Amino acid sequence: MISITENSFPVGKYLVSPLSRLTESGDYSASISLRSGRGMASHDRVFRLLPRFATHHAALRYAAREGRALALQHGVA
């Protein structure tokens, strides 16, 4: 199983990285990485999302939307 990330983007002080992974059943799962800080002071949180998707691109689009919403909801922007 290979995780694929594309198109990381900043939201306030965070870098949001949508992730997609091909599962054993042949569908795709979505995850989000939220990173803040730099170097030794960096912090990274990874969130796994529950829906499964038929395509890699659908999983990435969903992860990007959810990542932006999560960052904005928690006032990180």
Side-chain angles (χ1 to χ4, degrees):
M1 288 189 261
I2 298 172
S3 290
I4 301 169
T5 181
E6 293 180 5
N7 303 323
S8 297
F9 55 92
V11 177
K13 66 178 185 175
Y14 282 78
L15 180 65
V16 177
S17 299
L19 304 154
S20 173
R21 170 179 259 172
L22 181 61
T23 67
E24 292 178 4
S25 61
D27 54 5
Y28 291 86
S29 64
S31 301
I32 306 162
S33 167
L34 291 179
R35 181 175 300 146
S36 65
R38 294 180 187 262
M40 296 291 291
S42 67
H43 184 78
D44 192 23
R45 297 179 193 171
V46 177
F47 299 87
R48 294 181 190 173
L49 305 173
L50 291 178
R52 296 293 187 251
F53 300 89
T55 68
H56 159 72
H57 294 291
L60 285 178
R61 281 193 306 270
Y62 182 77
R65 282 194 313 266
E66 291 297 308
R68 182 180 307 278
L70 183 64
L72 293 172
Q73 176 185 10
H74 291 288
V76 297

